[in-house]
Amino acid sequence: MSAADVLAILQGAVVTVTLSLIGILIGLPIGLGLALLRWANVPVIARVVAVYVSVLRATPLVTLLLLLFFALPNVGIAIGPVSAAILALVMNTSAFNCEVWRAALMNFPKEQYEAAQSVGMHASLRFRRIVLPQIVRVSLPGLVNEMSLLIKVTPVLAVVGVVDITRAAVRIGAETYEPLPPFLVAIAMYAPIVFALVSLQRFIERRQLAAEAA
Amino acid sequence: MTNDMAVLDVAGISKRFGDLQVLSDISFTVTRGETVCVLGPSGSGKSTLLRCINWLERPDAGQIYLNGDRIGINNGGVVMSDRELSRVRTRIGMVFQHFALWPHLTVLQNLMEAPVQVQRRPAAEVREEAMALLAKVGLSDKADVFPARLSGGQKQRVGIARALAMKPDVLLFDEPTSALDPELVGEVLLVMRELAREGRTMVIVTHEMGFARDAATRILFMDRGRVVETGPPERFFVSPDTERARQFIQRYAAG
Amino acid sequence: MIRDFAIVWSERDLLLSGLGNTTILSVLSAIAGLVIAFVLTPALMSKRRWLALTVRVFVDGMRCVPFLLFAYIVYYGLPSFGIRLDNWSSGLVALTVYHAAYLAEILRGAWVAQPREPIEAGVAFGFSGPRLFRRIILPPLLLAAGPVIGNQMIQIVKDSAFLTIIALPELTHAASSIQSRHYVPFAAFITAVFLYWGLCLVIEAGVSGIDRLASARR
């Protein structure tokens, strides 16, 4: 395994991180939107969202990805591997984020909301200034946890031909007939990213616990 | 070292946690049928003393004998293995402050668990005895209920029955009523009085002065990790030898 | 579109055997993973520092590695050490070992949150070693951690889909075969998605059953 090979895997890492970030950034607000629809109990739509979330939480990312990659062109929507990958990541992570957001919304103290009403804040102001800052805080550990889970499923993207860490490693393994070294290099790239996120989650939890204790 | 009547013989027990000397050179014997109440201000080491007797805490120095058998150190002079300790512990019943019932087992199963699983006694025989014990503590109708469904007083009565089911040589009570609502204390003390009258050998750490006064055969008064005074309750409560005991009685008799 | 689903229906045997294999894989590795976790968790809680540390490194290591890469290493990497497993064995080993680490951490978390006194009572009543763990410590842990373990089971089902990549004939692999044979991607994969959903609903029903048992005991 040559230095060029390591570099190739590193380039794959850039792709992995970029796609994950895009997935996270789009998935976060969509998850919040879905959670709000359920929280507000919008008729019919709330039920549809509930089923959507339930199905997606049960769907393996590979299966979802293959579905999107092969079926969308079939109904006339041209989609490349990268777009299919991003779409699959967003659908997957938004379902999980929705549950995290929803839990925070359900536990939001009603008094706070009424207090904001009593000082004459209108709905959107109430949400932006009172509800959102607090549920972000509560949801943060869960959201970061979901991010580390998301990174851990990205190797699937290689299946449709996205050249991420995993696909680069597989290719090198096939060329050199030595599959182990490139896989170990690949793990060495994933592990710090996931470890950083897991540590971040623990740090946030500990800081919040300390703040509550004080 | 041990006399014939001594069920429990504690000789020179010491224990420290870090810089804190919790127990200093504690010695006493408990003879068959005695009810010894251990009194003293909180933090005086009473609970640690009980936990040292069955080696839940390992004492730093001293010896403990149960009917002449050394606890914690085997015949070869080395610290007992977990297995050996377990065998000795089955001869010492313990009642816990917060009941410590096993939440996944019903009341009857709680009573049967250790006799069947540890002592390996036949289940049918144990069940019969366990039902009799439940009748004795007035909880026959709760046999198949999970502990979570019981009141604190009921839980502690189950805790006592569970300890009795082991047929132990001695019963240790670690503040059995201090986690209870005041109105539930009476039913537990009633059971304990009954046991005292039957002549069970018991060591009871408690803050219930009334109970100690009329159920104990002897008081052991501890302060700052030492036995300060010991004697029959009539003398201890009326004319204690030490100033510290006198202050303690005054404070608690008032409260 | 209806014609597409008719094609999928005509291939139902393939799909059902895929579903069967996914179920077998998940159930076997969930059980084996739990059994391994029953050994790992007391080790994590052990007072012997070296033991606790070794297991901690394994558990945290697994939690930082994507499952697919781990499965690749078991399937393609182990032969470098002279260990050659077929796709079924590698799949099972990978799923089991990987999730055993997660399950061990779940049980450890539940253990730490348990009240200390009932365990101490177990010791005082003569329980020790494996019997203490099996009879006194473990049952309340399983009840308390039921929902989280259920989530992990769902994760196992989903991770088993990765094994399509090492040509294990599980559900996603069956859907892929149907799609490539007849070119009916939507019908094939959406059917698979709903079968996965059904599987997870069954797990969730099981979890709520356990939760009912648990709520009677707390």
Side-chain angles (χ1 to χ4, degrees), chain B residues 51 54 56 86 89-90 94 96-104 113-114 117-118 146 148-149 162-163 166, chain C residues 114 116-129 131 134-136 139-140 143 215-218:
Chain B
R51 296 161 56 83
N54 62 0
L56 282 181
S86 295
R89 283 179 180 137
T90 58
M94 191 160 196
F96 290 80
Q97 182 174 0
H98 298 101
F99 330 124
L101 300 179
W102 297 308
H104 58 292
E113 179 70 5
Q117 295 297 327
V118 182
F146 287 104
R149 295 283 168 272
R162 179 178 68 170
M166 306 271 289
Chain C
Q114 292 286 312
R116 224 188 53 236
E117 252 198 346
I119 299 175
E120 207 159 56
V123 175
F125 279 70
F127 287 88
S128 64
R131 202 188 310 163
R134 192 165 50 85
R135 305 276 324 175
I136 304 294
L143 290 174
S215 69
R217 290 161 175 75
R218 77 180 152 235

Side-chain angles (χ1 to χ4, degrees), chain A residues 51 54-64 66-68 70-75 92 96 149 151-159 165-166 169-170 178-184 186-187 190-192 194-196 198 202, chain C residues 1 4 56 60 62-70 72-73 76-78 80-81 98 102 105 151 154-155 157-159 161-162 164-165 172 175-176 179 183-190 192-194 196-198 200-201 204:
Chain A
V51 172
S54 175
V55 171
L56 274 177
R57 272 160 49 94
T59 305
L61 190 61
V62 214
T63 321
L64 177 65
L66 291 171
L67 174 69
L68 295 173
F70 287 111
L72 283 184
N74 209 21
V75 292
N92 179 68
F96 282 90
L149 291 179
I151 303 259
K152 275 189 278 186
V153 290
T154 53
V156 176
L157 305 185
V159 174
I165 299 180
T166 306
V170 170
E178 275 286 346
L180 196 57
F183 283 137
L184 293 181
I187 282 183
Y190 272 110
V194 179
F195 186 75
V198 171
R202 284 196 193 138
Chain C
M1 188 54 80
D4 287 2
R56 168 59 51 208
D60 279 357
M62 279 296 144
R63 299 202 313 150
C64 286
V65 172
F67 174 71
L68 182 60
L69 271 180
F70 182 67
Y72 268 140
I73 286 193
Y76 294 111
L78 283 189
S80 308
F81 300 106
Y98 188 77
Y102 286 77
E105 179 64 15
N151 272 342
I154 292 176
Q155 204 57 47
V157 170
K158 290 165 65 178
D159 277 352
F162 283 140
T164 187
I165 288 160
T172 299
S176 287
Q179 110 80 15
Y183 200 66
V184 284
F186 180 78
F189 286 117
I190 205 78
V193 164
F194 278 96
Y196 278 113
W197 190 38
C200 292
L201 289 181
E204 275 167 11

Side-chain angles (χ1 to χ4, degrees), chain C residues 16 26 31 38 41 47 73 75 98 121 124-126 196 201 208 216:
Chain C
L16 282 181
S26 309
I31 292 172
F38 292 164
T41 304
K47 287 195 196 82
I73 286 193
Y75 188 62
Y98 188 77
F125 279 70
Y196 278 113
L201 289 181
S208 67

Side-chain angles (χ1 to χ4, degrees), chain B residues 6-27:
Chain B
V7 174
L8 187 66
D9 187 357
V10 175
I13 290 295
S14 294
K15 175 74 185 174
R16 74 170 37 244
F17 292 125
D19 287 341
L20 188 68
Q21 188 74 41
V22 191
L23 298 175
S24 322
D25 196 24
I26 305 262
S27 298

Side-chain angles (χ1 to χ4, degrees), chain C residues 84-129:
Chain C
R84 200 170 293 278
L85 300 174
D86 63 15
N87 52 358
W88 264 97
S89 316
S90 340
L92 262 177
V93 166
L95 265 183
T96 300
V97 172
Y98 188 77
H99 287 280
Y102 286 77
L103 289 165
E105 179 64 15
I106 288 171
L107 288 178
R108 190 200 64 85
W111 188 339
V112 172
Q114 292 286 312
R116 224 188 53 236
E117 252 198 346
I119 299 175
E120 207 159 56
V123 175
F125 279 70
F127 287 88
S128 64

Side-chain angles (χ1 to χ4, degrees), chain B residues 209 213 237 247-255:
Chain B
M209 294 301 139
R213 183 191 280 257
F237 283 103
Q247 283 173 354
F248 175 80
I249 294 162
Q250 254 179 359
R251 187 172 325 135
Y252 273 90

Side-chain angles (χ1 to χ4, degrees), chain B residues 115-231:
Chain B
V116 172
Q117 295 297 327
V118 182
Q119 296 178 323
R120 297 286 175 199
R121 282 156 50 195
E125 171 195 316
V126 173
R127 175 187 304 270
E128 211 167 293
E129 289 170 11
M131 287 308 295
L133 285 171
L134 284 179
K136 185 188 178 87
V137 298
L139 291 172
S140 298
D141 55 329
K142 301 290 185 192
D144 297 320
V145 168
F146 287 104
R149 295 283 168 272
L150 300 178
S151 73
Q154 292 171 329
K155 280 181 191 163
Q156 195 57 298
R157 285 188 277 154
V158 173
I160 294 171
R162 179 178 68 170
L164 290 171
M166 306 271 289
K167 300 186 174 173
D169 299 346
V170 60
L171 282 166
L172 310 179
F173 291 76
D174 186 5
E175 302 201 20
T177 55
S178 35
L180 295 175
D181 292 336
E183 73 272 19
L184 300 176
V185 169
E187 58 188 75
V188 173
L189 292 182
L190 201 68
V191 171
M192 291 167 62
R193 276 202 174 88
E194 175 65 25
L195 295 178
R197 202 164 35 237
E198 286 172 8
R200 300 265 180 181
T201 313
M202 303 191 281
V203 180
I204 302 170
V205 170
T206 185
H207 289 290
E208 294 293 333
M209 294 301 139
F211 173 80
R213 183 191 280 257
D214 50 50
T217 53
R218 194 149 49 94
I219 302 290
L220 206 70
F221 176 67
M222 287 179 67
D223 193 21
R224 287 175 223 161
R226 294 180 184 278
V227 175
V228 177
E229 185 167 341
T230 169

